[in-house]
Amino acid sequence: MGLTKKIEVAAAIGLGGLALVAVGVSIGSFTHQNVVHDVGSSTGRSAAFSIPAWDYPASSKAATSSAHPREIPVLAYHQLDNGCAAAALMCDRAGAGVEILSQRQFYDQMSYLHSQGYSTITDTQYVLWATHKPVALPAKPILLTVDDGIDNFYAPGTAVLRHFGYNMVSMVVSGFASGSQDGVRPFGGWDASWTQLQALDPAIWGFAFHAGAQGHLLFNRACPDFYPCQLTGETDAAYQARISADVINGKALLKKEVPSADIQMWAVPWNDLAQTPNQPQSGPDPKVWLQKFAQSQFPVIFVDAFVSNPNGEHYRFEVHGTETMAYFIHELTINTHGGAFNG
């Protein structure tokens, strides 16, 4: 979300990247809401979109220098071609479906970035830059990310990325990948399994942490976001143990299943670390403890901050299918010139 867009979609942040079809799952002494993030059938994929058969040189071959750029734009995506034709100019879905793009939209946006001289970088390069360590970077670097590990993004997305010589970082929810691996509903057949993630082209795909086993589930109606919600009657110690276990075990599982994954980077679900009073949260401890815990685990943390800050928190522009190409260009431009992506 851009600087001008933050207020416009503040209410939608709570929905995050998920459409909510709740299925009660009893875990311990409380009930979580599992999340099915399908927002409609994918029958619209029948109208194919043709990508040229030739490819541009890979961004990894772009000339680099040790100069430290002031900013590196970061874009966040979620789904492709879910309920809209791959060739559609826009995937104009309502509600939580705003996060879905058509393959054509994604192609047009990548084409624009390429025409403007942008070269994609890896998660490792971004972490080195963000932590002010020496790193060789192209003249106009950009980081592309996709959240949740939903399978419908990878095949059409890979085709577009390969054409432009681009790479991307998949922010993985370990609970979703494990559920898909085990064929558990609603994850099986919807989210990519560990086997599917492992099979992705390593020249195009990198991996980083999004959430553990429970961290991207709809927590409860009073406070829907798992990490910043301390239950009624839950002690500070119990809350901290629950959150620590989800993050630390989730990171360890991601690294075990995908050894190339970068566990120095966290895209926080729903951008919510209880960092501001308007973020969904409950109990006294999240606003005191959660940010500090995140900093102890990750040198780079993506939340809905206006600009980067000393806490290691950085901003991503979340791209929606309901937005025109002109809007995409405008938001990318004002965010870049306005300092939202500064390091």
Side-chain angles (χ1 to χ4, degrees):
M1 283 162 282
L3 293 174
T4 61
K5 184 177 171 186
K6 292 177 185 297
I7 297 174
E8 298 169 13
V9 298
I13 291 174
L15 290 176
L18 305 178
L20 307 175
V21 179
V23 181
V25 180
S26 178
I27 301 176
S29 60
F30 49 88
T31 299
H32 285 279
Q33 295 294 326
N34 202 351
V35 178
V36 182
H37 22 290
D38 191 359
V39 299
S41 70
S42 298
T43 54
R45 295 187 194 179
S46 57
F49 174 66
S50 297
I51 296 174
W54 51 272
D55 298 331
Y56 290 99
S59 282
S60 60
K61 300 183 182 301
T64 60
S65 77
S66 59
H68 189 90
R70 183 183 66 177
E71 73 276 324
I72 296 181
V74 184
L75 306 184
Y77 293 87
H78 288 87
Q79 299 188 49
L80 292 178
D81 300 343
N82 178 9
C84 59
L89 288 174
M90 290 179 61
C91 189
D92 196 0
R93 301 293 301 272
V98 298
E99 68 184 16
I100 304 166
L101 278 72
S102 70
Q103 187 184 33
R104 169 67 182 274
Q105 278 182 290
F106 186 57
Y107 178 95
D108 288 346
Q109 291 172 6
M110 296 304 103
S111 180
Y112 171 77
L113 295 177
H114 196 272
S115 73
Q116 298 301 301
Y118 281 105
S119 297
T120 53
I121 61 171
T122 66
D123 41 275
T124 300
Q125 287 174 298
Y126 187 90
V127 170
L128 289 170
W129 170 80
T131 54
H132 305 282
K133 294 182 173 64
V135 59
L137 293 170
K140 287 187 71 173
I142 191 168
L143 181 70
L144 304 178
T145 68
V146 58
D147 288 359
D148 302 340
I150 299 172
D151 184 52
N152 65 31
F153 194 95
Y154 294 109
T158 295
V160 173
L161 293 166
R162 180 176 289 115
H163 174 65
F164 289 104
Y166 279 176
N167 55 272
M168 195 170 203
V169 180
S170 175
M171 301 296 186
V172 178
V173 179
S174 65
F176 292 177
S178 293
S180 181
Q181 187 76 25
D182 297 337
V184 176
R185 295 187 64 187
F187 311 109
W190 176 253
D191 297 290
S193 66
W194 292 118
T195 299
Q196 290 173 299
L197 294 175
Q198 293 159 3
L200 293 172
D201 187 344
I204 295 175
W205 288 100
F207 303 92
F209 183 73
H210 195 25
Q214 301 172 30
H216 211 313
L217 302 180
L218 181 63
F219 189 50
N220 62 43
R221 295 188 183 279
C223 188
D225 301 351
F226 179 83
Y227 294 115
C229 290
Q230 184 176 10
L231 295 167
T232 301
E234 187 176 35
T235 66
D236 291 353
Y239 164 73
Q240 293 175 21
R242 175 169 58 82
I243 301 307
S244 299
D246 187 84
V247 171
I248 293 170
N249 293 340
K251 285 171 59 179
L253 183 57
L254 171 61
K255 195 67 176 175
K256 174 190 173 188
E257 296 290 349
V258 187
S260 64
D262 192 333
I263 54 173
Q264 301 180 87
M265 181 181 287
W266 187 16
V268 181
W270 301 291
N271 302 300
D272 192 354
L273 281 178
Q275 71 271 26
T276 57
N278 65 328
Q279 293 281 9
Q281 58 190 277
S282 64
D285 203 38
K287 63 185 176 184
V288 176
W289 175 81
L290 188 54
Q291 274 187 297
K292 294 177 182 177
F293 169 72
Q295 294 162 30
S296 75
Q297 297 294 313
F298 304 93
V300 171
I301 304 160
F302 288 115
V303 292
D304 192 31
F306 280 93
V307 293
S308 301
N309 60 42
N311 298 324
E313 295 170 357
H314 298 262
Y315 166 71
R316 296 187 300 165
F317 169 31
E318 184 177 292
V319 184
H320 289 173
T322 52
E323 298 161 354
T324 65
M325 190 65 196
Y327 186 87
F328 171 82
I329 295 171
H330 175 263
E331 288 295 297
L332 178 62
T333 301
I334 65 168
N335 276 292
T336 303
H337 292 170
F341 299 120
N342 285 7

